[in-house]
Amino acid sequence: MDQRIKLRIEYLRANLKYLNDVELAEYNRLTGQHLTHQQQHQQHTHQQVQETYQADQASNFDLQNSSDGFNKHHKSRPFKKPKNKKKRKKVGFWKKLRRFLLLVLVLMIGFFIYGYHRGKSRAPEGLQTEKFSGQKTPSGATNILILGTDQRDFQTTGDARSDSIMVMQVNAKDNKVKLVSFMRDTLVYQPGVSQYGADTKINVAYNIGEQDNHQGAEYMREVLKKNFDIDIQYYALVNFNSFATVIDSLHPMGVKIDAKFSTIDGQVVKSVDVPDDLNWTPEHQDPIQTIKVGTQRMDGRTLLNYARFRKDDEGDFGRTKRQQQVMQAIMSGVKSPLTLFTGSSALGTIKGVTSTNVSDFFMLTHAPGLALDAAKGIESYTVPENGDWVEALDQYGGSGLLIDFDKYQAKLKNLLG
């Protein structure tokens, strides 16, 4: 093609938007196209976007930019729109942080459950869950019957009595942990046993129930419901060995406690010789351990002996106070769910060595919250209150405590719901 014709085509193409009818006809004649004025404007816009033009297929040539501003002849190529590449979205800092925290939470739960089941594997042979017809409270809170028995390894449950009788309430609407202790010599009515109304000591109920096909906890529940109108959903039986095992597992460095005793024969004491119950055997009876007054750390054996002592001038009421103090120290020692997490094996040990109908699900889901609530303090109450009783004899001629049941039913209804 003549160079002058090429130059003319280039000129017309560059000014395509402004061509009049004569110039447009000239452009169509030279390029072999048939553009109208409307197509003329569309092609010009397309040309600006792509910065190139599509050569006439019939002429089989193309123009390319050169240093002198002219196009060289090339084989025509069809125009292809660039593919839209999907841009990878950047993950924000907070999203990354959420993912990390979720991963940590999953790992913590996994290790917690693993430690819990590892602790449960320490369950002694023959430990059984007793029949217990528990009832929920109308308020929705959970009441747990805790019985500390004096059973030793060489004894059966039928030989044991309940030295400690407590009802602990958790999951209350006010997020408080409440603990009610019943003095063991309190005279109550026991269905099928009592002959003259409230004529049997409450601590006998467990022993009577155990002799009836191991229903000690269930019979104690019936007695508490009959005399005090308390609804109890769960139970836990703790004997000498299981108590010490639980303490040493949950608090390997010992439980910090301020040991207190009342006067003995009217005299203030700095230390007390207490029965060493865990080391008592038929061959080695009446072993003794000396416990000093004041703040100290106690292992499971020492804490058991401290809680069971009742030979000071406050007698069984003093023992009940110490039992409440021990429960407070044990539970408030767990300051946060993280501490409990590191002791998940100990939590499993509690479940493993204790006869209880508390489920694994309840233990795993409620223990952290219970620990936090208990760390704020436990609201304790004793039935009867100190001196609020009348000395009376039980049906066997033993000394017991006669109380006003209407009064204590009303108080426990307000406290436990």
Side-chain angles (χ1 to χ4, degrees), residues 186-188 198 228 383-384 388-390 401-406 408:
T186 304
L187 297 177
V188 294
F228 300 100
V383 178
D388 189 26
W389 62 74
V390 176
L401 311 177
L402 192 61
I403 66 174
D404 183 343
F405 286 98
D406 291 335
Y408 283 101

Side-chain angles (χ1 to χ4, degrees), residues 81-96:
K81 293 184 179 180
K83 294 182 179 180
N84 293 326
K85 294 184 179 180
K86 293 184 179 179
K87 294 183 178 180
R88 294 182 63 182
K89 294 182 179 179
K90 293 184 178 181
V91 180
F93 169 77
W94 294 110
K95 196 168 185 178
K96 289 181 179 179

Side-chain angles (χ1 to χ4, degrees), residues 76-337:
S76 177
R77 295 179 181 178
F79 172 77
K80 293 184 179 180
K81 293 184 179 180
K83 294 182 179 180
N84 293 326
K85 294 184 179 180
K86 293 184 179 179
K87 294 183 178 180
R88 294 182 63 182
K89 294 182 179 179
K90 293 184 178 181
V91 180
F93 169 77
W94 294 110
K95 196 168 185 178
K96 289 181 179 179
L97 180 61
R98 286 196 298 270
R99 289 179 180 177
F100 174 75
L101 293 177
L102 179 61
L103 176 61
V104 172
L105 178 62
V106 171
L107 290 175
M108 286 179 65
I109 293 174
F111 281 117
F112 187 92
I113 294 175
Y114 169 76
Y116 175 81
H117 285 285
R118 184 179 181 183
K120 272 186 64 178
S121 65
R122 300 180 61 179
E125 186 177 353
L127 185 67
Q128 296 180 348
T129 301
E130 296 190 356
K131 172 188 173 183
F132 196 77
S133 303
Q135 301 291 327
K136 292 184 178 180
T137 64
S139 67
T142 302
N143 288 339
I144 304 173
L145 173 63
I146 302 175
L147 299 176
T149 72
D150 60 2
Q151 178 192 355
R152 295 175 172 87
D153 283 346
F154 54 86
Q155 295 176 315
T156 65
T157 56
D159 298 324
R161 294 166 299 177
S162 52
D163 276 351
S164 173
I165 305 166
M166 300 180 178
V167 175
M168 175 180 288
Q169 182 174 94
V170 298
N171 297 338
K173 292 180 180 179
D174 57 6
N175 294 323
K176 291 182 179 179
V177 178
K178 301 167 187 175
L179 186 67
V180 177
S181 299
F182 296 85
M183 292 178 61
R184 53 178 280 166
D185 291 337
T186 304
L187 297 177
V188 294
Y189 172 78
Q190 299 189 19
V193 177
S194 294
Q195 301 181 47
Y196 313 104
D199 61 0
T200 309
K201 293 180 183 180
I202 193 171
N203 74 317
V204 178
Y206 172 74
N207 183 266
I208 292 173
E210 281 300 304
Q211 295 180 38
D212 182 19
N213 197 25
H214 302 291
Q215 298 187 74
E218 170 62 14
Y219 188 61
M220 182 65 80
R221 183 194 68 80
E222 293 178 16
V223 169
L224 290 172
K225 177 65 176 177
K226 182 70 175 178
N227 290 271
F228 300 100
D229 197 25
I230 303 173
D231 291 311
I232 301 173
Q233 187 173 359
Y234 299 115
Y235 85 93
L237 297 178
V238 183
N239 61 25
F240 288 171
N241 274 331
S242 61
F243 177 86
T245 300
V246 165
I247 298 305
D248 292 339
S249 298
L250 192 57
H251 298 276
M253 302 301 293
V255 176
K256 187 177 181 179
I257 195 166
D258 184 10
K260 297 177 181 179
F261 298 96
S262 177
T263 57
I264 297 179
D265 296 329
Q267 300 295 317
V268 177
V269 295
K270 293 184 178 180
S271 65
V272 173
D273 291 335
V274 302
D276 190 1
D277 294 305
L278 201 60
N279 287 326
W280 194 100
T281 65
E283 296 77 21
H284 182 209
Q285 298 186 15
D286 301 324
I288 297 298
Q289 180 185 17
T290 300
I291 298 179
K292 294 182 179 180
V293 173
T295 302
Q296 57 195 283
R297 288 192 173 275
M298 295 185 181
D299 60 8
R301 163 178 161 262
T302 305
L303 203 63
L304 172 68
N305 297 336
Y306 174 73
R308 295 195 72 244
F309 180 73
R310 62 175 182 139
K311 298 297 184 181
D312 60 10
D313 290 339
E314 286 187 329
D316 195 47
F317 184 81
R319 171 158 71 174
T320 302
K321 283 201 310 183
R322 279 185 285 277
Q323 290 172 352
Q324 292 178 342
Q325 181 192 13
V326 165
M327 288 294 293
Q328 174 85 40
I330 293 171
M331 299 188 68
S332 63
V334 184
K335 297 297 184 182
S336 71

Side-chain angles (χ1 to χ4, degrees), residues 365-381:
T365 56
H366 289 76
L370 173 59
L372 282 179
D373 291 342
K376 301 172 187 176
I378 299 177
E379 187 175 336
S380 300
Y381 187 70

